[in-house]
Amino acid sequence: CEVRPGPEFLTRSYLFYTNRLFKAYQFYYWDPSCRDPSYSLVIKGKLRLRQASWITRGATEADYHLHKVGIVFHSQKAMREVAAWINQTSGEGCRGFLPPGRTWAPGALYELLSAKTERDCTAALGFAMHELSLVRVEKHYQPLLQPQQSGSQLVEELYLGDIHTDWVERLHYRPTGYQRPMQSAVHHAHPCPACGIIYRADEHHPPVLPLRAQPPMQLSGSWVSTRCEVRPAVLFLTRYFIFHGNNHTWEGYYYHYSDPLCKQPTFTIYAAGRYTQGIPSSRVRGGTELAFKVTQARVTPMDQVTVMMLNSSEPGSCGLTSSWSAGVEQDITPTNGCLALGIKLPHTEYELFKTEQDTKDRSLLYVGERPTDGSSPDSPDKRPTSYQAPLIQCAGASEEFSNYVSLKYLGKKDANGSEALKPLPVAFLLFIALLFLRWD
């Protein structure tokens, strides 16, 4: 069950055909467990892959054209709310989309967008498919789960462009980062109880995901990224957090890189401070609201470009003037942060957290999604309504994630000259894995 800014709760199922046509389902829900469907969208169009992205390394840029978008309501309440949005915010051609008092008809498909009639009533829903303009397919191999089996199985994941955190901006935003990946229906990670349910669904039969118990928020311990994370504005990083529940203090390491495999480090930020007791979120059901105060920070430049940038920064704005060198950590607390890196101290951020158990009973921690415009959630009204990629609790990290636990050593050589840590096998493809299915 995905959480988009707003918040919106949804699941997705996309089919790509050999003739460049695609058919996409987006299923929307009232609840964060994706068990109470609100409405479904069926989206048809054409996708043309262009070239490797000059902005987001490892991605392919694409153009898309929408032919049709239809909506099916799953309750009278959903029909009434969506019709009100469209009638209030759309142009003349959409104000009569559904007459007031229209009775809900189960299974009825209403046309929101048609390229033939040039009608488009999707803006009121905050709907856009700009995610298709940035594409990346990754392959890796997952060890077989059964103890008696050896070897591994192929896993393919599709990364599509990120959704802007500002509802207004998302309608014309061109992504430079990614959402969480979609799993291949054929070669997906195991176990995946939701995969088959979502794959078999359609606009008339939305998926209802299995009920999962929500564990209480337990922050104490160490949490680490499961993969190299790609943020908007060309940021590649991994994260490592330590929470001390006895005194509500925290420490965080942010390892920044210049490449989408997180093999070429640029700089590391260490931050520490205190956090408040969490309270249940009134906006995002299942989430917990906290406030984090950052009181100290240290920076370690890892390449010469970053060293030059820090040494040329304004005196007194980022550590000792002209004293930076590669691999040497420096405290930036005395200068109230580092202007060149956008760090201000002391600093308070209003956060949204959530913990979950995955299908292998490992503990996952979701931290609020950062604003797409690069700003900080430094006031309660800027608190996130969606989440970043999850962190995994180190005690529950299996062998496939052990490569990421000692993240600051990623890419370094050992005494034999080989890499001390190797990332998960990744193949960059310049095309989408197309399913040989009939276009209907």
Side-chain angles (χ1 to χ4, degrees):
C1 188
E2 302 179 58
V3 183
R4 283 186 173 179
E8 289 179 329
F9 309 112
L10 76 158
T11 57
R12 295 177 293 155
S13 176
Y14 293 3
L15 300 175
F16 299 93
Y17 302 89
T18 52
N19 57 0
R20 296 182 182 174
L21 296 171
F22 70 86
K23 183 178 183 180
Y25 294 112
Q26 293 184 354
F27 308 101
Y28 290 81
Y29 302 81
W30 299 108
D31 68 302
S33 299
C34 289
R35 290 182 54 79
D36 186 9
S38 170
Y39 62 88
S40 299
L41 299 180
V42 55
I43 305 137
K44 294 183 179 182
K46 196 163 191 174
L47 182 73
R48 183 175 68 90
L49 297 165
R50 292 170 53 207
Q51 72 274 328
S53 173
W54 290 101
I55 300 174
T56 307
R57 291 176 59 188
T60 298
E61 293 179 357
D63 291 326
Y64 73 92
H65 178 69
L66 297 182
H67 297 157
K68 292 181 180 179
V69 178
I71 186 169
V72 174
F73 302 105
H74 302 304
S75 68
Q76 181 73 40
K77 177 186 175 186
M79 185 178 191
R80 187 170 56 248
E81 286 199 3
V82 172
W85 296 339
I86 294 174
N87 291 338
Q88 290 172 10
T89 61
S90 300
E92 287 296 328
C94 296
R95 288 213 177 116
F97 173 71
L98 283 175
R102 179 76 172 267
T103 303
W104 169 55
L109 178 69
Y110 301 93
E111 194 173 77
L112 283 172
L113 178 148
S114 171
K116 285 185 178 180
T117 62
E118 298 184 350
R119 186 190 198 203
D120 184 358
C121 304
T122 60
L125 299 177
F127 170 84
M129 287 298 285
H130 299 326
E131 61 192 274
L132 293 176
S133 63
L134 197 69
V135 178
R136 172 172 162 175
V137 174
E138 282 194 9
K139 288 185 179 182
H140 65 266
Y141 289 86
Q142 179 189 46
L144 294 173
L145 298 177
Q146 283 71 24
Q148 68 272 20
Q149 292 180 310
S150 60
S152 58
Q153 58 193 11
L154 175 66
V155 174
E156 288 184 305
E157 295 178 318
L158 171 63
Y159 288 80
L160 296 177
D162 62 303
I163 307 298
H164 202 288
T165 54
D166 186 321
W167 181 277
V168 176
E169 296 293 330
R170 67 196 283 183
L171 295 178
H172 53 79
Y173 168 68
R174 292 291 169 173
T176 54
Y178 302 117
Q179 301 173 67
R180 290 187 64 196
M182 301 177 74
Q183 299 285 317
S184 164
V186 181
H187 303 293
H188 56 78
H190 292 271
C192 183
C195 290
I197 297 172
I198 298 171
Y199 175 71
R200 290 188 292 270
D202 60 33
E203 67 269 34
H204 303 294
H205 307 92
V208 176
L209 299 190
L211 182 62
R212 296 183 62 86
Q214 173 119 13
M217 173 67 69
Q218 296 287 351
L219 272 185
S220 296
S222 301
W223 306 80
V224 68
S225 295
T226 63
R227 64 181 74 221
C228 187
E229 299 172 6
V230 182
R231 299 263 182 88
V234 203
L235 287 176
F236 307 105
L237 78 158
T238 54
R239 297 171 290 152
Y240 175 44
F241 290 148
I242 307 167
F243 297 98
H244 307 281
N246 56 336
N247 59 5
H248 278 216
T249 60
W250 69 280
E251 302 169 81
Y253 294 86
Y254 304 82
Y255 303 100
H256 290 256
Y257 303 84
S258 62
D259 69 296
L261 290 179
C262 289
K263 290 173 66 69
Q264 300 165 17
T266 52
F267 63 93
T268 297
I269 298 172
Y270 166 84
R274 303 184 64 83
Y275 63 94
T276 61
Q277 183 75 37
I279 60 170
S281 172
S282 58
R283 291 192 66 190
V284 187
R285 275 196 290 158
T288 300
E289 295 181 351
L290 303 98
F292 279 78
K293 189 164 187 178
V294 188
T295 55
Q296 55 179 303
R298 303 193 293 265
V299 171
T300 308
M302 301 298 289
D303 66 351
Q304 286 304 318
V305 173
T306 306
V307 169
M308 291 174 59
M309 177 189 71
L310 296 177
N311 279 332
S312 62
S313 60
E314 186 178 336
S317 69
C318 186
L320 296 174
T321 305
S322 303
S323 64
W324 295 93
S325 57
V328 179
E329 184 180 69
Q330 188 173 151
D331 191 353
I332 58 171
T333 310
T335 53
N336 297 322
C338 179
L339 190 62
L341 296 177
I343 303 171
K344 297 179 182 179
L345 296 175
H347 180 65
T348 300
E349 296 197 343
Y350 295 85
E351 269 295 358
L352 180 73
F353 275 43
K354 177 179 70 170
T355 53
E356 276 186 3
Q357 298 289 120
D358 69 4
T359 52
K360 297 179 183 178
D361 292 326
R362 297 171 301 198
S363 295
L364 301 179
L365 174 64
Y366 292 81
V367 181
E369 188 172 2
R370 308 297 297 179
T372 306
D373 62 8
S375 64
S376 170
D378 52 8
S379 61
D381 62 298
K382 294 181 70 175
R383 192 186 301 273
T385 56
S386 57
Y387 302 100
Q388 301 175 47
L391 305 170
I392 191 168
Q393 194 162 34
C394 290
S398 63
E399 185 178 346
E400 66 184 283
F401 296 120
S402 62
N403 292 345
Y404 295 96
V405 176
S406 299
L407 292 167
K408 56 185 168 184
Y409 302 112
L410 195 62
K412 290 190 176 181
K413 308 287 184 180
D414 60 19
N416 299 321
S418 60
E419 289 183 358
L421 289 174
K422 296 180 180 178
L424 290 173
V426 172
F428 290 104
L429 304 181
L430 297 183
F431 57 90
I432 300 178
L434 297 172
L435 300 177
F436 292 84
L437 296 174
R438 178 178 61 87
W439 172 255
D440 56 8

